[in-house]
Amino acid sequence: MNLRRWRGWGTVCLATLTVALLLVTFLPWSTWLGFTDAEEVLGYASTFRAWLLWTAAILAVALTLNVKWRDGLERYLERWRIKVLGVPDRGYVVVCALALLAAAALLSSVLFARNPHNVDSIAQLFQARIFLGGSLTAPAPEYPEFFGATHLVTHEGRWFSQYPPGHPALLVLGVLAGLPWLVNPLFAAGTLALVFAAARRLLGEGGARLSAALYLVSPFALFLSASYMNHVTCGFFLALALYAAVCADGGAKGSGWLLVTGAALASAATIRPLEAAAWASVLGIWIVLRRGWKPAVVIGAACLVGLAPLLLYNGLTTGHPLRFGYSLLWGAGHGLGFHTDPWGQPFTPIVSFANTALDFQRLNVLLFLWPFPSLIFVFVALLYAVRADGSRGAVALLAALLLAAPLAYFFYWHRDNYLGPRFVFASLVPAVMLTTAGILALDRRLGRWRGALWVALLSGAVVGLTVYFPQSAGRFAGRMLERKLHPELEAERAGIRDALVFVKVGWGSRLIPRLWAWGVSASETERTYRAVDGCRLQGALERADSLLAAGADSSSARAALTSQLRTWRDMDLAVVRDVLPDASVRVDTSAALPERCYREVLQDEAGFTVYGTLIWRNDPWLTKGTVYARDFGPERNSRLQARYPGRRSYLYAPLSGEPGAQPVLSPLAAPSRRVGASEAE
């Protein structure tokens, strides 16, 4: 009786979840609530129209073929089914995994020039170099404005990445081999093998092979696997935890698979703690319902032991085992919950709902880039599971894992769409397996229309890979071209070694690190930069420098600076962006641009590049090899040149301000002895 009651509640919950997920995914909530920019609104509307046209065309062709040549289609499909199932498991998985490895490695070269493109991955690659030097942190630079970068923490005279240590530790292996760009493709290949193994236990042999094939052709998986982002390595350990938990549920003797489950979840937590906690909750409840409390306790104990290195790392870097680097850098606003975020924006349940809906809307497009909704078979799997008990257990587990990360991130303030809705990348594995479950459910029930299903599915896959995939790849390849640069190769060709290279950057990249150097926190800097025009910031920094040069105490100069910045932030100034050569710098629309600020604009009009992608090429101790620093002009640069008296100085800058102008290395004259000596004093 109790069992029937639980099954009844399970059916109601699954049905409710299916309806809610359909409404969240297909209705443009973010647009209705006003949280989507115009470009994305137009893009989704265009995608929806294309879905309708392509679906009508594909269904017409598929149904016509099925009516006219049903017997031939059946025989053809059966022959291919026998061929695919006839390939040995190991050979099938190896071929799929190697294909994914090769595709991701190729995309890393073609789209990203094997460089990190996102500030998150740049900071973690920098941390990998710190680890490679045999330390957890490195001494903070004496002149931080030259070297500071987003997501690098300076604390008690040391600097390090804000991120947990797991992903940087794995990147160390790639840095040692000189192939850091290959780390994620290797882990992606491993994830595919785990998807196959887990799907074989949950969905059968055919389901395992289809799941591996779907993971291989998922653009979402391919694009992120070609990057340096930590979602990929975290996804590997989450997939390992799923496979181990399924093996443990299958009646395996001993505690081996339970220990592997806990260790895999702990490993994922050293990379992306929130996602690991979300999956641990789902897998823990599932194990309790299937096998009772004792196995869940074993998993929990293994997980706690595995978390010891993370807690120790936090204690040694931030001063407390439970305080992460990003909390130290950004303050309380970075934490979970509804509050004012670190950028000064209100984070409310309405904002979070819009973010979550937008994530599923994007996943519905990018998961497979089919000419019809990518999640359509996920909903088919859920609907069939509501009606039939046979597949309900596996589908319910996968559905819970699909929602685990999105529900956890409902209480987190930040989202972005870098290479797709990356904050739901943890949902990729269950989404692929649910897609498989939906396809197989239809295949079993369509009878004489099975041929139409497979014609439509294969047609959609071909259109996705030949039409939409190249379009998306082209957009990604055309972004952030300045992050594809390899000045170290140019220096090697020119025979330049152990040099001091000043990188000409935009006005914003000169203002922000100077604020950091004055002790303005990352959160206050971000809020100020978004609310105050660049000319005011330039003037405030110049006044602070003048006070210090006149003999004022640095703390009083800093207090005057921060007080002025706070006053301006509270004034609600009429500022706009996307006006100046450095589009991120705000302009006060109520006042003319003074001459001293116009000079900064003219400097940018002559051309500039970015510094962030070069910081990881530095030795974190800033003592070995070529050192890359921001260019602040001859007077300020001379301070740094005085610290490297034996090095030749170079400027890395475009020769013009024309779009696409490539930066080149040009020698700089050494500073005069008089200027260098006085600055050194």
Side-chain angles (χ1 to χ4, degrees):
M1 185 67 178
N2 288 337
L3 186 58
R4 277 202 203 101
R5 186 182 299 132
W6 277 110
R7 285 177 177 171
W9 275 108
T11 301
V12 170
C13 289
L14 200 56
T16 304
L17 165 66
T18 303
V19 173
L21 199 55
L22 274 166
L23 294 175
V24 166
T25 301
F26 283 97
L27 297 180
W29 294 102
S30 188
T31 301
W32 291 345
L33 295 171
F35 294 104
T36 309
D37 58 42
E39 183 179 346
E40 185 141 24
V41 172
L42 294 174
Y44 188 67
S46 174
T47 297
F48 208 89
R49 287 194 298 270
W51 281 346
L52 294 176
L53 294 174
W54 275 110
T55 300
I58 288 173
L59 282 178
V61 171
L63 293 172
T64 300
L65 289 175
N66 194 84
V67 169
K68 290 184 173 293
W69 294 288
R70 181 168 67 86
D71 292 339
L73 271 178
E74 289 282 353
R75 289 193 298 270
Y76 184 77
L77 289 171
E78 184 61 21
R79 281 200 304 271
W80 272 103
R81 188 186 72 82
I82 293 171
K83 284 183 180 181
V84 171
L85 291 177
V87 178
D89 285 352
R90 184 173 298 177
Y92 185 88
V93 171
V94 167
V95 169
C96 287
L98 288 177
L100 179 56
L101 171 61
L106 178 63
L107 288 173
S108 178
S109 299
V110 173
L111 302 185
F112 309 123
R114 300 179 178 177
N115 272 348
H117 275 216
N118 185 282
V119 291
D120 301 33
S121 52
I122 290 168
Q124 292 177 85
L125 195 52
F126 183 80
Q127 184 65 42
R129 297 206 62 182
I130 295 178
F131 287 161
L132 195 59
S135 181
L136 302 181
T137 63
E142 182 179 359
Y143 295 116
E145 66 268 30
F146 287 99
F147 304 106
T150 304
H151 301 330
L152 292 185
V153 183
T154 299
H155 178 59
E156 296 181 347
R158 313 288 294 180
W159 68 341
F160 53 95
S161 162
Q162 71 167 5
Y163 293 96
H167 188 64
L170 296 171
L171 289 174
V172 167
L173 304 175
V175 175
L176 272 173
L179 302 168
W181 54 274
L182 200 55
V183 171
N184 269 0
L186 285 168
F187 275 90
T191 303
L192 183 145
L194 290 167
V195 166
F196 176 90
R200 183 168 55 182
R201 289 183 172 268
L202 291 171
L203 305 174
E205 189 68 29
R209 293 176 183 242
L210 182 55
S211 293
L214 289 173
Y215 195 89
L216 170 62
V217 299
S218 168
F220 193 23
L222 286 168
F223 289 139
L224 266 171
S225 298
S227 75
Y228 284 77
M229 299 297 282
N230 64 6
H231 305 270
V232 178
T233 51
C234 180
F236 169 85
F237 289 109
L238 293 178
L240 177 58
L242 171 60
Y243 173 63
V246 170
C247 289
D249 175 62
K253 294 182 180 180
S255 302
W257 285 116
L258 298 173
L259 295 175
V260 172
T261 304
L265 290 170
S267 299
T270 67
I271 302 172
R272 299 187 67 83
L274 188 58
E275 292 170 18
W279 273 55
S281 300
V282 171
L283 292 177
I285 293 172
W286 188 68
I287 288 290
V288 168
L289 292 176
R290 305 277 290 196
R291 292 191 54 185
W293 285 99
K294 288 184 179 180
V297 170
V298 174
I299 293 175
C303 190
L304 287 175
V305 172
L307 287 174
L310 173 62
L311 301 179
L312 179 62
Y313 175 83
N314 285 347
L316 293 174
T317 54
T318 69
H320 193 284
L322 298 179
R323 181 166 59 195
F324 290 89
Y326 29 71
S327 297
L328 180 64
L329 180 64
W330 294 98
H334 195 282
L336 299 178
F338 302 113
H339 46 57
T340 300
D341 70 28
W343 297 348
Q345 302 301 312
F347 178 59
T348 66
I350 298 297
V351 173
S352 182
F353 177 75
N355 288 341
T356 303
L358 191 57
D359 278 342
F360 276 102
Q361 179 179 302
R362 290 165 172 167
L363 184 64
N364 200 23
V365 176
L366 194 62
L367 177 61
F368 297 115
L369 281 178
W370 287 335
F372 42 79
S374 288
L375 294 178
I376 189 69
F377 294 107
V378 170
F379 294 111
V380 170
L382 294 174
L383 289 169
Y384 273 118
V386 170
R387 295 179 55 190
D389 283 340
S391 62
R392 187 174 299 162
V395 170
L397 170 63
L398 294 172
L401 292 175
L402 176 74
L403 293 176
L407 287 176
Y409 281 120
F410 190 85
F411 301 97
Y412 181 64
W413 59 278
H414 183 53
R415 295 291 202 288
D416 66 45
N417 195 33
Y418 176 68
L419 304 180
R422 63 185 182 92
F423 283 89
V424 295
F425 187 80
S427 299
L428 175 60
V429 167
V432 165
M433 294 171 68
L434 283 169
T435 299
T436 296
I439 292 171
L440 295 180
L442 280 177
D443 180 74
R444 288 190 297 269
R445 290 165 173 81
L446 284 180
R448 62 191 299 266
W449 298 103
R450 288 177 64 248
L453 166 67
W454 288 99
V455 168
L457 184 61
L458 292 172
S459 300
V462 170
V463 171
L465 289 174
T466 59
V467 177
Y468 290 116
F469 183 86
Q471 290 178 2
S472 293
R475 285 196 296 272
F476 292 142
R479 290 180 187 172
M480 300 180 288
L481 296 177
E482 65 277 7
R483 296 190 186 275
K484 295 186 175 185
L485 303 174
H486 284 273
E488 76 283 2
L489 299 180
E490 184 181 343
E492 184 179 341
R493 288 192 295 267
I496 299 171
R497 294 181 179 84
D498 297 332
L500 178 60
V501 176
F502 290 98
V503 181
K504 190 183 179 194
V505 296
W507 192 9
S509 192
R510 299 193 294 274
L511 292 171
I512 290 174
R514 288 182 66 187
L515 290 171
W516 293 338
W518 269 105
V520 181
S521 71
S523 179
E524 286 188 344
T525 296
E526 188 67 35
R527 294 185 186 195
T528 301
Y529 191 72
R530 290 166 174 257
V532 181
D533 60 285
C535 199
R536 279 189 172 89
L537 295 178
Q538 182 78 21
L541 288 165
E542 289 173 355
R543 283 191 293 275
D545 288 344
S546 298
L547 286 173
L548 196 62
D553 180 72
S554 61
S555 59
S556 61
R558 182 185 302 110
L561 172 64
T562 55
S563 175
Q564 179 64 83
L565 298 179
R566 195 175 300 112
T567 299
W568 284 332
R569 286 203 305 269
D570 295 340
M571 287 172 60
D572 194 22
L573 298 168
V575 298
V576 296
R577 56 169 296 167
D578 298 321
V579 174
L580 303 179
D582 184 342
S584 70
V585 179
R586 272 62 174 179
V587 176
D588 185 355
T589 57
S590 65
L593 196 66
E595 177 64 26
R596 59 184 175 79
C597 297
Y598 186 59
R599 288 195 297 269
E600 301 291 334
V601 176
L602 289 178
Q603 184 176 336
D604 284 0
E605 286 181 345
F608 62 91
T609 186
V610 298
Y611 175 72
T613 192
L614 303 178
I615 179 64
W616 73 270
R617 291 186 165 91
N618 282 337
D619 162 41
W621 284 259
L622 302 174
T623 57
K624 301 175 184 176
T626 294
V627 174
Y628 295 92
R630 286 184 183 83
D631 170 44
F632 284 101
E635 181 179 353
R636 189 175 288 270
N637 288 356
S638 65
R639 303 178 186 178
L640 196 63
Q641 289 172 305
R643 291 292 182 264
Y644 295 92
R647 295 177 183 247
R648 292 286 304 275
S649 296
Y650 293 84
L651 178 67
Y652 188 60
L655 297 178
S656 75
E658 293 296 319
Q662 292 293 304
V664 297
L665 285 167
S666 306
L668 285 176
S672 67
R673 291 180 179 272
R674 181 181 60 80
V675 172
S678 63
E679 291 292 347
E681 292 172 3

